[in-house]
Amino acid sequence: MTKDKESPIRSCHFIYIVALVFGTIIQFSVESEFVVDMSKTSLIHVPKDLPPKTEVLDLSQNNISELHLSDVSFLSGLKVLRLSHNRIQGLDVSIFKFNHHLEYLDLSHNQLQKISCHPITTSLKHLDLSFNDFDALPICKEFGNLTQLNFLGLGAAKLQQLDLLPVAHLHLSCILLDLEDYYMKENKKESLQILNTKKLHLVFHPNSFFSVQVNISVNSLGCLQLTNIKLNDDNCQVLLKFLSGLTGGPTLLNFTLNHMKTTWKCLVKVFQFLWPKPVEYLNIYNLTIVEKIDEEVFTYYKTTLKALKIEDITNEVFIFSQAAVYTLFSEMNILMLTISDTRFIHMLCPQGPSTFKFLNFTQNAITDSVFQNCGTLTRLETLILQKNELKDLFKTSLMTKDMLSLETLDVSWNSLEYDRYNGNCTWAGSIVVLNLSSNALTDSVFRCLPPQIKVLDLHNNRIRSIPKDVTGLGTLQELNLASNSLAHLPGCGIFSSLSILIIDYNSISNPSADFFQSCQKIRSLKAGNNPFQCSCELREFIQSVGQVSSEVAEDWPDSYKCDYPESYKGALLKDFHVSELSCNTALLIVTIVVPGLVLAVTVTVLCIYLDLPWYLRMVCLWTQTRRRARNVPLEELQRTLQFHAFISYSGHDSAWVKNELVPCLEKENIRICLHERNFVAGKSIVENIINCIEKSYKSIFILSPNFVQSEWCHYELYFAHHNLFHEGSNNLILILLEPIPQNTIPDRYHRLRALMAQRTYLEWPKEKNKQGLFWANIRAAFNIKLRLVTENDDVKC
């Protein structure tokens, strides 16, 4: 922006000195630990229980009517005291004699009629006694000692020329003079001399026509502000005469009119009056136009006026010539014109080469037809058309084609769209700053941009992606794409000069990890407040953004949070950690497959070593047999034991079994089940074995080296042992016919090893004299009475 555009602020910087004082006090109030705010609490007197260390005390907007020394004397550190909008009628200045640090005292909007003058603390910087019921200006000679005073607010019903003499030597920043109750005696013109102030603010009665004819003279006045100006065609000259003495000085640069109600004719006269004056900046706020609007003659003298700003116009004239209004403003020979919040529907193109460098028509009703085919705005550098009714971006570009000096264009907060995919937009080649935010633009907008654009604001639109075939944006340095619907973080392939990227509040879940590699010139990135998906793909981006400085990643880490998965929702990205193993597929495969292979090999070896297939086959056979048993009719299942013992032996040991064991047992009436005589033909061997074991009270196993070598014997032992745990009884009798060396038992027969190690077995003695004890032990194993089937019952297994 040029110096001319910045000068309105600089030329009247001292207007805001008072604002700086206010700001300092407010900031102090916020930061101080000794602030008491009791405003709007219906108090009728100053509370007595205030903390003695209070520094800021706000008692405004209450019903306090009196002030006493005891109210504030104990507040030795008091700096700010607000008592505005109360009912105080009298003030004895001496009540503040112990408040040596008092800097800010506001007694405005009370009912003060008199002041008892006494010496007051010299630290006072702000004293406001305006909007009270004083007949004359309440000036004490002691005020002359307030060498630090910046702001003085006063008010009176009548004025005398030397009222302000006691403070004439003070270098005040601002004097507020309340003239709402001022009245002038007939045939007597009053005057007031104000020697030193940088800003003078005069407030008149809001509902009365302007009639003040006081001759006010001010030395070195820089800013003049008038509030509540009500005019008609008859009293318009009264205002101009009043202003004659105030606007003649060479130092008056800034003139402001607040709450002005006037006719169009009088307004034009005010403009004409000020045109040759030394005023450089004219501001009008809250302007109301009444009665009628006709075309008025206006002579555009050579003027020192640089800028005219009019904000918030209310037009009470409904039928009038639009050209009468637009022509007046469009032909002004000034540098800067601002007309905002007025509901203007158009603006005319100047008839001849215009001096405008800055135009601001914010918040009107201007359409796409404005300034079309306008070739007289060749010096225009900044054009602001915020909050209007622009709809076609193509027409907006055509509007600028003859604005040869245009550098900054702001058309934000309109309804702009662009749907011409084949046509190119025609822009002024000088545009470097373009604000298209808060419109209805989509991805196609990137095909309708000025050729030398450097700063582009597209936030709050409907952009989903940046087309890959876009070209001609090599000069772009700053891009704002916040609050769109972008799903990916764009790289800098087509933005070779990009240094500032704002892309927060989009739909980016997995930003590219190589962003910083493609955007080497980025010095500022704002990409927070996106729905980041915290997964492996995000690890490299988190590492990259965490390594850049805080000046580059401005909103890191507070604005970067996980949105998915649910377990991490709301967590900061910097706190998201996932192991390398979880994200490296190859490493994960190696980590899982290798142990898996080792486990598989180990299991295979163990299966072979422990003959697991054999055991699985046995379990399968057992399960099948049990399932078939469940299918047998209920009457067949209701049975009792049929044998005392089932004998399992190797065929090589059959001689001993048949000649020694069986005869001895059967002699004792012990019924024996043998496979060669009790197995049922037609059934499988496994099924016969299981049935015989289940129908026998005991199972006798003849152990010998031959038994170990018999696979069927081992089956019978397996099923009998399984039945032991299934029935919960001790039904096994082990007879060791011959010693069995442990190393001769196959590894797969670990159950036999366990039984021989854990259970007591009977050993067949070779000596005759010891065999009696053996048979006694055998008989003892059958000492339980059983209900066996009768002789006539079927004894087949």
Side-chain angles (χ1 to χ4, degrees):
M1 189 172 289
T2 63
K3 293 182 179 179
D4 288 337
K5 298 170 187 174
E6 296 176 350
S7 57
I9 297 176
R10 293 201 309 269
S11 63
C12 200
H13 67 279
F14 43 82
I15 294 179
Y16 301 104
I17 293 178
V18 176
L20 292 176
V21 174
F22 276 92
T24 302
I25 294 171
I26 293 173
Q27 181 181 7
F28 172 81
S29 300
V30 172
E31 296 176 352
S32 175
E33 297 180 358
F34 309 107
V35 178
V36 176
D37 185 357
M38 302 186 72
S39 60
K40 302 179 183 179
T41 53
S42 302
L43 295 174
I44 60 174
H45 55 75
V46 179
K48 301 299 183 182
D49 56 349
L50 295 172
K53 294 184 179 181
T54 299
E55 296 179 358
V56 177
L57 178 58
D58 190 348
L59 298 174
S60 60
Q61 302 186 61
N62 282 294
N63 297 314
I64 299 173
S65 58
E66 292 182 327
L67 291 177
H68 302 283
L69 177 64
S70 59
D71 292 335
V72 294
S73 60
F74 64 97
L75 303 175
S76 58
L78 188 64
K79 294 183 178 181
V80 177
L81 178 58
R82 297 187 178 95
L83 284 163
S84 61
H85 296 89
N86 276 280
R87 298 180 179 180
I88 303 172
Q89 297 181 356
L91 174 65
D92 187 347
V93 179
S94 65
I95 66 173
F96 303 112
K97 63 182 178 180
F98 296 111
N99 306 112
H100 301 296
H101 300 287
L102 188 62
E103 299 178 359
Y104 185 102
L105 178 59
D106 185 356
L107 286 161
S108 63
H109 298 278
N110 275 279
Q111 299 173 9
L112 289 172
Q113 297 178 357
K114 60 180 180 178
I115 288 182
S116 299
C117 294
H118 295 278
I120 192 171
T121 174
T122 58
S123 60
L124 205 62
K125 297 178 180 178
H126 182 104
L127 176 59
D128 194 349
L129 299 172
S130 60
F131 302 99
N132 278 283
D133 297 335
F134 294 111
D135 185 47
L137 291 180
I139 294 293
C140 298
K141 63 178 181 179
E142 288 82 1
F143 290 177
N145 297 325
L146 303 178
T147 55
Q148 299 186 49
L149 194 64
N150 287 316
F151 177 90
L152 179 60
L154 303 170
K158 59 181 180 180
L159 302 173
Q160 295 184 11
Q161 183 175 2
L162 300 180
D163 281 347
L164 295 176
L165 185 61
V167 295
H169 62 286
L170 299 179
H171 298 283
L172 298 173
S173 296
C174 179
I175 291 180
L176 169 63
L177 196 56
D178 159 33
L179 298 178
E180 283 192 1
D181 296 329
Y182 174 79
Y183 66 92
M184 183 184 66
K185 296 180 180 180
E186 294 182 5
N187 301 323
K188 184 178 181 181
K189 186 175 182 178
E190 296 180 340
S191 61
L192 179 66
Q193 186 175 8
I194 304 175
L195 298 179
N196 288 312
T197 187
K198 296 177 181 178
K199 176 183 177 181
L200 176 61
H201 184 186
L202 303 176
V203 181
F204 303 98
H205 197 283
N207 299 319
S208 300
F209 283 102
F210 186 86
S211 61
V212 177
Q213 299 185 38
V214 178
N215 181 18
I216 299 178
S217 59
V218 186
N219 294 340
S220 303
L221 183 63
C223 296
L224 175 62
Q225 182 173 343
L226 305 184
T227 298
N228 299 333
I229 309 296
K230 188 176 182 180
L231 302 169
N232 56 25
D233 292 343
D234 296 329
N235 74 330
C236 187
Q237 196 62 33
V238 177
L239 173 65
L240 300 182
K241 189 174 182 181
F242 176 79
L243 293 176
S244 297
L246 290 172
T247 58
T251 59
L252 181 62
L253 302 180
N254 194 294
F255 181 34
T256 300
L257 296 167
N258 286 323
H259 298 284
M260 183 178 184
K261 190 172 185 178
T262 180
T263 63
W264 174 252
K265 181 178 182 178
C266 184
L267 179 63
V268 174
K269 284 185 178 181
V270 172
F271 288 154
Q272 192 72 79
F273 171 80
L274 294 172
W275 222 250
K277 299 294 183 180
V279 176
E280 295 184 357
Y281 303 99
L282 174 59
N283 310 296
I284 303 176
Y285 302 106
N286 300 107
L287 172 65
T288 301
I289 299 176
V290 297
E291 295 186 9
K292 62 182 179 178
I293 297 178
D294 293 325
E295 187 171 346
E296 302 291 338
V297 177
F298 189 86
T299 304
Y300 298 96
Y301 302 112
K302 183 179 181 180
T303 181
T304 59
L305 188 68
K306 294 180 180 179
L308 170 62
K309 178 190 291 186
I310 305 177
E311 292 186 358
D312 192 6
I313 297 180
T314 300
N315 186 9
E316 295 184 358
V317 182
F318 300 106
I319 300 176
F320 63 94
S321 170
Q322 296 281 345
V325 178
Y326 300 145
T327 301
L328 175 71
F329 295 112
S330 64
E331 300 300 326
M332 286 184 172
N333 53 336
I334 58 178
L335 298 178
M336 292 174 280
L337 174 64
T338 297
I339 302 177
S340 64
D341 195 14
T342 66
R343 306 308 297 170
F344 273 20
I345 62 173
H346 195 58
M347 179 52 62
L348 295 178
C349 178
Q351 297 180 0
S354 175
T355 59
F356 288 131
K357 288 187 176 183
F358 179 95
L359 289 177
N360 183 353
F361 298 115
T362 296
Q363 199 162 341
N364 287 286
I366 295 175
T367 65
D368 296 316
S369 61
V370 69
F371 296 139
Q372 295 293 332
N373 300 314
C374 182
T376 57
L377 293 171
T378 56
R379 297 180 61 186
L380 187 63
E381 297 176 357
T382 300
L383 176 59
I384 301 175
L385 294 171
Q386 285 185 10
K387 298 181 180 179
N388 279 278
E389 297 183 5
L390 305 180
K391 295 182 179 180
D392 191 340
L393 185 60
F394 184 79
K395 290 183 179 180
T396 300
S397 69
L398 286 178
M399 173 189 68
T400 70
K401 67 183 181 65
D402 294 322
M403 299 176 181
L404 305 180
S405 301
L406 188 64
E407 296 179 356
T408 302
L409 175 63
D410 186 346
V411 287
S412 60
W413 292 99
N414 281 277
S415 302
L416 287 171
E417 296 181 350
Y418 179 74
D419 55 5
R420 306 187 186 202
Y421 291 91
N422 298 324
N424 293 323
C425 296
T426 304
W427 295 94
S430 55
I431 296 179
V432 293
V433 178
L434 178 60
N435 190 343
L436 294 172
S437 64
S438 300
N439 280 286
L441 297 167
T442 61
D443 304 357
S444 59
V445 68
F446 288 95
R447 297 184 173 89
C448 180
L449 294 174
Q452 301 299 320
I453 186 73
K454 293 183 179 179
V455 179
L456 177 61
D457 191 344
L458 284 167
H459 85 269
N460 194 25
N461 276 283
R462 301 173 184 175
I463 301 171
R464 294 182 177 272
S465 63
I466 299 176
K468 294 182 179 180
D469 58 345
V470 172
T471 58
L473 295 176
T475 60
L476 189 63
Q477 298 176 4
E478 180 177 340
L479 176 60
N480 188 344
L481 286 168
S483 302
N484 277 280
S485 301
L486 285 164
H488 302 285
L489 181 64
C492 297
I494 59 176
F495 310 124
S496 55
S497 301
L498 194 65
S499 61
I500 299 175
L501 177 61
I502 304 172
I503 199 166
D504 50 354
Y505 295 101
N506 272 276
S507 301
I508 301 171
S509 58
N510 291 307
S512 173
D514 59 356
F515 169 78
F516 289 99
Q517 295 178 359
S518 66
C519 298
Q520 298 289 335
K521 295 183 180 180
I522 284 290
R523 56 182 176 85
S524 177
L525 171 68
K526 292 186 69 175
N529 299 293
N530 276 288
F532 293 109
Q533 182 174 343
C534 289
S535 60
C536 293
E537 291 78 7
L538 205 64
R539 292 172 68 246
E540 293 186 25
F541 174 78
I542 295 174
Q543 293 173 359
S544 299
V545 74
Q547 290 172 357
V548 300
S549 67
S550 57
E551 295 179 356
V552 175
E554 294 184 16
D555 49 355
W556 176 267
D558 296 337
S559 297
Y560 293 74
K561 297 180 180 180
C562 298
D563 187 70
Y564 181 85
E566 197 66 28
S567 57
Y568 281 99
K569 189 176 181 66
L572 295 177
L573 259 61
K574 72 178 184 67
D575 297 328
F576 171 70
H577 303 288
V578 63
S579 65
E580 181 68 24
L581 180 63
S582 301
C583 296
N584 191 323
T585 305
L587 181 60
L588 182 62
I589 292 175
V590 171
T591 304
I592 294 177
V593 171
V594 171
L597 289 175
V598 173
L599 179 61
V601 171
T602 303
V603 170
T604 302
V605 172
L606 289 174
C607 285
I608 296 173
Y609 180 75
L610 298 175
D611 200 11
L612 184 61
W614 183 86
Y615 282 106
L616 291 176
R617 188 166 65 252
M618 290 300 99
V619 170
C620 182
L621 291 171
W622 174 268
T623 304
Q624 292 175 357
T625 303
R626 301 293 293 184
R627 187 182 298 112
R628 286 197 296 269
R630 285 196 296 269
N631 296 328
V632 175
L634 181 62
E635 58 272 11
E636 293 185 21
L637 293 175
Q638 295 174 348
R639 59 176 179 78
T640 58
L641 295 174
Q642 296 177 2
F643 302 98
H644 286 95
F646 166 71
I647 301 178
S648 175
Y649 57 94
S650 171
H652 297 286
D653 300 324
S654 61
W656 183 84
V657 172
K658 294 178 179 179
N659 297 330
E660 295 286 348
L661 181 61
V662 172
C664 184
L665 293 178
E666 289 183 339
K667 185 175 62 175
E668 299 292 335
N669 295 323
I670 296 176
R671 185 171 293 177
I672 301 300
C673 179
L674 295 174
H675 64 272
E676 62 265 26
R677 69 184 185 189
N678 295 110
F679 276 17
V680 178
K683 291 186 177 181
S684 66
I685 296 175
V686 172
E687 192 170 359
N688 273 310
I689 292 173
I690 293 175
N691 287 338
C692 286
I693 290 174
E694 288 184 341
K695 292 181 178 182
S696 299
Y697 174 60
K698 297 284 186 176
S699 293
I700 301 174
F701 290 88
I702 310 303
L703 306 180
S704 68
N706 298 320
F707 182 94
V708 171
Q709 301 302 320
S710 173
E711 187 170 358
W712 285 113
C713 290
H714 196 67
Y715 286 166
E716 293 168 349
L717 178 63
Y718 176 85
F719 291 135
H721 188 256
H722 187 278
N723 196 57
L724 167 66
F725 289 100
H726 180 72
E727 301 292 344
S729 60
N730 188 8
N731 60 1
L732 294 183
I733 298 175
L734 304 179
I735 298 176
L736 184 62
L737 185 61
E738 296 180 11
I740 304 175
Q742 285 286 332
N743 56 3
T744 64
I745 302 176
D747 292 333
R748 65 180 183 175
Y749 294 168
H750 65 277
R751 191 180 300 274
L752 177 58
R753 289 173 178 266
L755 285 172
M756 294 185 66
Q758 297 174 3
R759 299 180 64 86
T760 301
Y761 53 85
L762 301 176
E763 187 174 357
W764 170 251
K766 300 297 183 181
E767 300 85 355
K768 291 289 185 178
N769 58 346
K770 295 182 180 180
Q771 291 177 358
L773 179 59
F774 173 82
W775 294 117
N777 288 332
I778 290 293
R779 287 192 297 272
F782 294 96
N783 61 358
I784 300 176
K785 294 181 180 180
L786 302 175
R787 189 186 71 82
L788 297 175
V789 296
T790 64
E791 293 291 339
N792 297 326
D793 292 336
D794 184 8
V795 298
K796 293 183 179 180
C797 296

